[in-house]
Amino acid sequence: MGEGGTSGFCRRSGSKCGRWNPTAEQLKLLSQLFASGLRTPSTGQIRKISALLSFYGHVESKNVFYWFQNHKARERRKLTPPSSSPMFYSDTDNRVAPEPERVMETLQLFPVGESSEAEELRMHAHCRDDTAEPVEPPPLDLRLSFL
Amino acid sequence: MGEGGTSGFCRRSGSKCGRWNPTAEQLKLLSQLFASGLRTPSTGQIRKISALLSFYGHVESKNVFYWFQNHKARERRKLTPPSSSPMFYSDTDNRVAPEPERVMETLQLFPVGESSEAEELRMHAHCRDDTAEPVEPPPLDLRLSFL
DNA sequence: GAGGTATGAATGAACG
DNA sequence: CGTTCATTCATACCTC
């Protein structure tokens, strides 16, 4: 039954994972740290964090470092003002909660007696009644110059 | 259960949406833009493009962004098949963890035997199937001060 | 109805 | 630090 070692990485079938895949616990911890105000942990911080995460599964400092980098960039990109940069988008989701960059001194990760508040629901279900799709009549003008 | 909704994604079958599905017109436009040489449209470009596509159906900038990303990557991937050599990454990069094996310094925070495993499953999340974590020592006491 | 293919969506890793 | 590449998952869609 023990197919493949119990490496902390692979989690799927036959997939040669070369990529770290954080578990829910690890993700939670990271999110908490991020929410605490931690944005760019130093090498020392990273080491400690990875040590903690390591308990839940194999993880390297590299992963932690990348995670923070990506998370920060992602958050920023999602709420970035219109600029002349090849950034992301901003159309329907731009509700940024004014999060004061206040580093909490003490953060607690409650393992019990806590209602799950983390809701990751971002899938908008807008089923359009496609009874008949009449060919829309917009004259298409394809020009890059226009953009 | 009449849908009645006149706004949404699905354009073909009565499939409940969840995913954006570009129409022929939208696809055509995108393809033309891509053929024009546009590979990574900026935020402005994306916005305009989505505005155009929006005429044919609901579409968000996010979709446009993803489309270009995927299309480029896919084209490239399809054009790079003669690589019979399993190119493996040289693990000699590691620019973020130039750190020797130095872990478990003075970490002491896995105590307590409070057994309370309350983990909820997300219905629409990736299969982060952390199959059977042998041991879960989760009373987590996190403190930034500790870091 | 099950399986395969195509494609959108998400995220980790890395470049500049 | 912001952007881009690469890998993977999830789902739509088509075929059998």
Side-chain angles (χ1 to χ4, degrees), chain B:
Chain B
M1 290 47 175
E3 291 91 354
T6 8
S7 53
F9 283 108
C10 311
R11 90 192 202 247
R12 268 201 175 142
S13 312
S15 300
K16 294 326 175 207
C17 42
R19 194 161 113 170
W20 168 66
N21 205 16
T23 61
E25 286 71 34
Q26 289 176 335
L27 243 168
K28 203 161 191 169
L29 212 151
L30 289 164
S31 300
Q32 290 181 78
L33 284 165
F34 187 86
S36 299
L38 189 63
R39 306 204 307 182
T40 42
S42 309
T43 315
Q45 319 292 87
I46 291 177
R47 188 174 301 177
K48 287 161 185 165
I49 296 168
S50 40
L52 269 136
L53 295 174
S54 201
F55 193 90
Y56 299 97
H58 187 215
V59 60
E60 303 177 39
S61 306
K62 184 183 79 161
N63 307 121
V64 177
F65 175 81
Y66 281 142
W67 190 91
F68 274 95
Q69 288 289 115
N70 283 316
H71 198 69
K72 175 164 56 168
R74 234 168 42 77
E75 285 294 305
R76 193 163 202 182
R77 185 57 92 103
K78 253 126 187 186
L79 215 74
T80 311
S83 288
S84 294
S85 305
M87 191 179 74
F88 267 90
Y89 298 93
S90 305
D91 228 61
T92 44
D93 53 308
N94 240 11
R95 2 185 301 185
V96 282
E99 194 178 346
E101 297 185 6
R102 177 72 177 221
V103 280
M104 266 200 173
E105 203 172 278
T106 358
L107 252 168
Q108 51 202 356
L109 56 130
F110 350 101
V112 188
E114 202 67 67
S115 48
S116 293
E117 191 62 11
E119 186 58 41
E120 81 294 316
L121 256 297
R122 287 174 291 195
M123 30 189 113
H124 281 293
H126 302 157
C127 281
R128 232 125 234 189
D129 184 36
D130 35 286
T131 352
E133 197 94 0
V135 56
E136 197 80 47
L140 220 291
D141 201 23
L142 185 56
R143 297 187 204 191
L144 284 181
S145 338
F146 136 75
L147 294 177

Side-chain angles (χ1 to χ4, degrees), chain A:
Chain A
M1 295 96 158
E3 213 91 287
T6 25
S7 23
F9 277 118
C10 304
R11 56 148 154 95
R12 271 238 159 101
S13 46
S15 283
K16 307 290 192 238
C17 15
R19 202 158 110 169
W20 167 67
N21 199 34
T23 62
E25 286 70 34
Q26 290 177 333
L27 250 170
K28 201 161 188 172
L29 214 149
L30 289 164
S31 301
Q32 297 284 350
L33 285 165
F34 187 85
S36 298
L38 189 61
R39 309 205 315 197
T40 32
S42 304
T43 315
Q45 316 298 85
I46 291 176
R47 202 208 313 184
K48 287 159 185 164
I49 296 169
S50 37
L52 266 131
L53 296 173
S54 200
F55 197 91
Y56 298 98
H58 186 219
V59 61
E60 305 176 39
S61 305
K62 183 178 71 170
N63 306 122
V64 178
F65 175 80
Y66 282 142
W67 191 91
F68 274 95
Q69 290 289 109
N70 283 317
H71 199 69
K72 176 163 55 169
R74 193 176 75 92
E75 286 294 305
R76 196 176 258 282
R77 176 155 2 190
K78 243 85 175 190
L79 58 91
T80 246
S83 252
S84 300
S85 297
M87 273 176 304
F88 213 50
Y89 62 93
S90 32
D91 198 47
T92 33
D93 47 323
N94 297 52
R95 223 64 289 210
V96 50
E99 170 103 24
E101 297 178 17
R102 204 76 194 87
V103 186
M104 283 198 217
E105 288 186 11
T106 26
L107 210 157
Q108 268 194 5
L109 283 188
F110 17 71
V112 31
E114 240 303 325
S115 306
S116 44
E117 190 189 311
E119 279 188 59
E120 296 241 0
L121 201 121
R122 48 180 66 113
M123 268 215 183
H124 306 292
H126 302 279
C127 283
R128 182 245 304 244
D129 190 50
D130 179 37
T131 344
E133 181 153 348
V135 184
E136 302 295 318
L140 220 292
D141 208 14
L142 222 282
R143 283 187 202 199
L144 284 180
S145 336
F146 138 73
L147 296 177

